[in-house]
């Protein structure tokens, strides 16, 4: 049996100062989907969500923004990214066709538990998409996150650092 020597010396590291420990992270991108609001009546009824962005990434012109989006806006973003970029776009939370059937015992797609579940799915989707370096160069992502109204007749293009 051979004796193996294990090196237990610590790696030398520079001491961390307070700014390193508690200062802003070097690069961050936080997107929250919150505050769902259902508007309209009958077949024109839909739910919008607040999409709030905070970042220090230079590619985004606004470091903080807040817009309202509905599910179909997320669908639009997904299809634009699939068409215009090399990004593998994650799936959106399901369309919930059965929840849209009449004569249900609950509120269907307007039920609080469903809205909460969808909100979490949309937040996961937008964070995965926006965290992708190639997606960050797409004008459609910037419009979705930072423009009050999405110009769906825009000309697809790449964004350069703001």
């Amino acid at each position: 049996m051979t004796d193996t020597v294990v090196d237990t010396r610590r790696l030398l590291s520079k001491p961390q100062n307070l700014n390193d420990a508690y200062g802003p992270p070097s690069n961050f991108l936080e997107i929250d989907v919150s505050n769902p609001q259902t508007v309209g009546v009958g077949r024109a009824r839909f739910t919008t969500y607040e999409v709030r962005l905070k970042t220090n990434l230079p590619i985004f012109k606004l470091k903080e923004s807040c817009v309202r989006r509905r599910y179909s806006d997320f669908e639009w973003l997904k299809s634009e990214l699939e068409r215009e970029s090399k990004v593998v776009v994650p799936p959106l939370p399901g369309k919930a066709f059965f929840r849209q059937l009449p004569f249900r015992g609950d509120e269907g797609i307007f039920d609080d538990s469903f809205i909460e579940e969808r909100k979490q799915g949309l937040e996961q989707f937008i964070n995965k998409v926006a965290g992708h370096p190639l997606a960050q160069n797409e004008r459609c992502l910037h419009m979705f996150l930072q423009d009050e109204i999405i110009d769906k007749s825009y000309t697809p293009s790449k964004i350069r650092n703001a």
Side-chain angles (χ1 to χ4, degrees):
M1 186 163 131
T2 355
D3 287 331
T4 53
V5 178
V6 177
D7 188 354
T8 58
R9 288 177 296 170
R10 289 182 161 232
L11 293 173
L12 293 175
S13 60
K14 82 177 188 50
Q16 189 177 42
N17 65 33
L18 282 175
N19 199 37
D20 292 341
Y22 299 105
S26 51
N27 276 335
F28 72 93
L29 173 66
E30 297 171 11
I31 303 172
D32 296 318
V33 176
S34 61
N35 194 13
Q37 292 178 353
T38 299
V39 295
V41 288
R43 299 194 46 74
R45 190 175 182 201
F46 60 91
T47 301
T48 64
Y49 303 85
E50 191 174 276
V51 178
R52 185 176 295 274
L53 166 99
K54 284 186 182 178
T55 188
N56 65 357
L57 295 176
I59 192 115
F60 291 97
K61 68 177 187 263
L62 300 174
K63 300 310 166 201
E64 290 191 27
S65 61
C66 182
V67 294
R68 290 206 76 80
R69 297 290 180 248
R70 55 190 287 185
Y71 185 84
S72 60
D73 295 328
F74 284 86
E75 288 180 312
W76 171 84
L77 176 63
K78 182 179 188 323
S79 70
E80 287 297 300
L81 287 170
E82 287 171 339
R83 192 166 52 100
E84 296 300 328
S85 76
K86 305 280 186 271
V87 178
V88 176
V89 185
L92 280 166
K95 194 74 175 132
F97 290 110
F98 291 113
R99 281 195 168 270
Q100 297 176 37
L101 295 174
F103 311 116
R104 290 177 53 92
D106 63 10
E107 286 278 315
I109 61 170
F110 303 109
D111 190 66
D112 288 344
S113 63
F114 174 74
I115 288 173
E116 179 58 30
E117 196 178 301
R118 178 174 268 184
K119 177 182 78 69
Q120 289 172 6
L122 293 174
E123 185 170 281
Q124 287 173 349
F125 168 81
I126 194 61
N127 275 285
K128 282 180 187 167
V129 166
H132 194 294
L134 290 176
Q136 290 173 5
N137 293 326
E138 296 296 332
R139 181 168 304 285
C140 59
L141 177 67
H142 289 254
M143 285 188 339
F144 178 89
L145 289 171
Q146 301 198 308
D147 291 0
E148 197 64 43
I149 295 165
I150 297 173
D151 174 11
K152 294 185 179 171
S153 64
Y154 84 115
T155 303
S157 62
K158 306 289 184 223
I159 302 278
R160 302 288 168 234
N161 277 355

